[in-house]
Amino acid sequence: MRVLIINTSQKTGGAALAANRLKDALNNNGVEARMLVRDKTVDDSTVIELPRTLKTKWSKLWERWCIFCKLNFSRRHLFELDIANVGTDITKLVEFREADLIHLSWINQGMLSIGGIRRILESGKPVVWTMHDLWPASSICHYAHGCEGFMNRCGNCMLLPGGGHANDLSEVVWRRKKKALDGNQISFVTCSKWLGEQARQSSLLKGQTVTSIPNPIDTEVFKPQNKLMARKMLGLPEKNKIILFVSQRVTDKRKGIDYFIKAIGQLVARHPEMKQNITIAILGSDAEQLAEQLALPTHLLGYVSDIRQIINVYNAADVFVLPSLEDNLPNTIMEAMACGVPCVGFEVGGIPEMIDHRVNGYVARERDTNDLAQGMDWVLNEANYAELSREALQKVHRNYSQQSVAKQYIEVYYQAITKKNKSK
């Protein structure tokens, strides 16, 4: 079976990492998988880059400009929306024609247009689409933020100026998507059961198959290593306990940095002695302006792309904290657990599916900084740490290993191919 996975980027972002890991998992389990991307950054014979044309180069900028205009030239929400009004027609590529099945992943920011998606669906090839967020099942947003418009018909979008109106941009894009999806069979896969429940409520996906399969991780790469050695390599305190926070962009409000700062303050207020034996490490860009707000000594590790260095960061930590306000199935939690590091997060999205409360980590009540602080304190000072670490490793090997995830996807592929053949 030859599978072509479509993703905007090869390495940038959580969806790109997940798509890459799935490609490798499939190739290691008997499927010939390749990945088609617009932004290729690393030499890999299984990754194909789109032809570098003027249209390919400017598609992302043109889409942003169109959204910028609709936002009345405000940058607020500029990178939270995608309208897929431009993109590349990949159906003309040799790699597309040679594939037995097309697997769509994260295809936004000028990679594929809605019209391009429709041409893929009308090509006669079976299509599987992994949802890394809500965009395939909504209009222009990636996360609903409590809005239920996608369940019926988008419009009056709260992300648009003035709260939008009945025939605003979200309604226009919703109609375009509905026209593209209606009458075409797609096998949707969500990375978490939480997102699967949302997808099944979408009016756009009515009648479509929705399956939940987690992202895979290579447990031969992400694994426990010598903690002291990792700290020495990173220049982190060797004797202190380390609380780790990771985000590609630390200032991203959705990742909960404000709640993290408040929880750390509450933790120190209860236990002032922690200033002497607890250190915070932050991995990600744009953290400089936040370090002074934290009540504990903080080491800024910046943005790191080298996988060996990232693994060192996880192994240096005693607890990983990700207080996301809305998230699917964060790769960072999976990576930390694969290195034997217990995690603490809010009870939102797919996080409770990953962290088993008081078994391999701590699940705090949503937006409750007191409970978040309690979770960190419990992991660091009260729980049987060795047992937490063992349980985290077992959870990853049991649920997120390459073989486990590849097997589930291969079953979805065969079902999609069978359905397509029957419909001909």
Side-chain angles (χ1 to χ4, degrees):
M1 185 192 305
R2 292 168 296 186
V3 174
L4 183 64
I5 300 173
I6 318 297
N7 199 81
T8 302
S9 171
Q10 180 187 10
K11 290 289 185 179
T12 303
L17 291 175
N20 249 292
R21 290 171 182 173
L22 176 60
K23 169 182 65 67
D24 293 340
L26 292 169
N27 282 318
N28 291 334
N29 285 273
V31 173
E32 184 183 330
R34 293 194 287 178
M35 191 168 161
L36 177 67
V37 302
R38 184 192 64 202
D39 305 325
K40 182 174 180 177
T41 54
V42 179
D43 187 28
D44 183 340
S45 61
T46 63
V47 178
I48 304 102
E49 187 175 31
L50 283 179
R52 295 193 176 189
T53 64
L54 186 61
K55 182 179 180 181
T56 302
K57 181 179 179 180
W58 289 103
S59 287
K60 177 181 177 180
L61 294 176
W62 176 247
E63 183 190 32
R64 284 311 105 190
W65 173 253
C66 293
I67 295 172
F68 191 45
C69 292
K70 291 294 184 178
L71 293 175
N72 294 339
F73 305 103
S74 168
R75 291 179 61 85
R76 191 182 182 201
H77 305 312
L78 179 59
F79 294 99
E80 297 176 47
L81 309 178
D82 277 289
I83 59 177
N85 60 333
V86 286
T88 301
D89 181 5
I90 67 169
T91 61
K92 299 175 182 179
L93 300 177
V94 173
E95 292 80 9
F96 181 91
R97 296 198 299 269
E98 291 177 345
D100 298 311
L101 180 141
I102 304 302
H103 186 149
L104 301 180
S105 186
W106 201 87
I107 45 76
N108 298 112
Q109 295 189 359
M111 177 68 183
L112 296 180
S113 66
I114 294 174
I117 294 171
R118 185 175 62 207
R119 283 188 285 273
I120 292 170
L121 297 176
E122 293 174 349
S123 69
K125 292 183 181 290
V127 176
V128 171
W129 194 343
T130 292
M131 292 176 55
H132 297 280
D133 53 44
L134 192 61
W135 189 85
S138 69
S139 175
I140 60 178
C141 68
H142 292 270
Y143 288 91
H145 304 293
C147 174
E148 297 181 350
F150 70 95
M151 296 181 186
N152 297 298
R153 185 186 185 95
C154 287
N156 299 300
C157 182
M158 64 181 180
L159 298 178
L160 296 174
H165 52 79
N167 297 304
D168 61 17
L169 180 64
S170 68
E171 200 276 339
V172 171
V173 175
W174 186 91
R175 280 190 279 109
R176 290 175 184 167
K177 281 190 176 180
K178 182 172 176 58
K179 184 177 179 181
L181 298 180
D182 275 358
N184 290 304
Q185 287 186 336
I186 308 173
S187 297
F188 285 94
V189 176
T190 61
C191 303
S192 67
K193 295 175 183 177
W194 164 77
L195 186 59
E197 292 174 2
Q198 284 194 314
R200 292 183 189 94
Q201 297 178 69
S202 168
S203 60
L204 288 174
L205 271 56
K206 188 175 182 179
Q208 302 284 8
T209 301
V210 180
T211 307
S212 295
I213 303 175
N215 297 326
I217 190 167
D218 190 342
T219 52
E220 293 299 316
V221 176
F222 285 89
K223 59 184 179 181
Q225 295 179 2
N226 185 283
K227 192 175 292 293
L228 181 59
M229 188 65 68
R231 292 183 176 187
K232 285 182 177 179
M233 294 180 70
L234 295 166
L236 293 172
E238 297 176 15
K239 295 182 179 180
N240 283 15
K241 292 182 179 180
I242 293 180
I243 299 171
L244 176 64
F245 180 93
V246 177
S247 178
Q248 183 177 352
R249 184 167 52 86
V250 176
T251 52
D252 183 353
K253 298 293 185 182
R254 185 172 60 84
K255 293 297 182 179
I257 185 63
D258 293 338
Y259 291 84
F260 180 70
I261 292 171
K262 290 178 182 177
I264 291 295
Q266 292 168 347
L267 191 62
V268 173
R270 296 176 198 167
H271 307 283
E273 71 279 3
M274 284 187 172
K275 288 186 177 182
Q276 307 303 319
N277 54 33
I278 303 285
T279 298
I280 295 172
I282 298 182
L283 179 63
S285 62
D286 301 336
E288 296 80 7
Q289 56 188 298
L290 301 171
E292 294 182 358
Q293 300 178 42
L294 288 159
L296 288 171
T298 303
H299 286 250
L300 304 182
L301 303 175
Y303 177 79
V304 176
S305 58
D306 181 76
I307 194 69
R308 291 168 297 182
Q309 193 80 333
I310 292 172
I311 293 168
N312 281 334
V313 172
Y314 285 118
N315 275 282
D318 292 288
V319 61
F320 172 60
V321 183
L322 185 66
S324 286
L325 306 181
E326 198 167 15
D327 228 325
N328 185 11
L329 198 80
N331 287 323
T332 50
I333 289 180
M334 190 183 301
E335 291 164 355
M337 291 175 66
C339 294
V341 179
C343 300
V344 177
F346 283 141
E347 190 177 9
V348 300
I351 290 175
E353 298 171 34
M354 308 178 80
I355 305 174
D356 300 313
H357 186 51
R358 291 180 179 264
V359 175
N360 55 38
Y362 190 99
V363 181
R365 292 183 294 273
E366 184 176 354
R367 297 174 187 257
D368 188 332
T369 54
N370 279 312
D371 201 21
L372 189 67
Q374 171 60 33
M376 288 186 272
D377 188 29
W378 182 79
V379 170
L380 292 172
N381 300 310
E382 299 177 24
N384 182 329
Y385 189 86
E387 184 63 24
L388 287 182
S389 181
R390 282 194 295 270
E391 289 289 343
L393 287 170
Q394 290 178 11
K395 177 69 176 280
V396 170
H397 284 270
R398 186 170 58 247
N399 294 278
Y400 309 132
S401 69
Q402 283 193 345
Q403 186 176 16
S404 172
V405 174
K407 182 179 179 180
Q408 294 177 71
Y409 263 107
I410 291 169
E411 185 177 345
V412 169
Y413 291 161
Y414 277 119
Q415 290 175 354
I417 290 172
T418 300
K419 283 182 181 180
K420 180 60 70 173
N421 290 337
K422 285 182 179 180
S423 66
K424 290 181 180 178

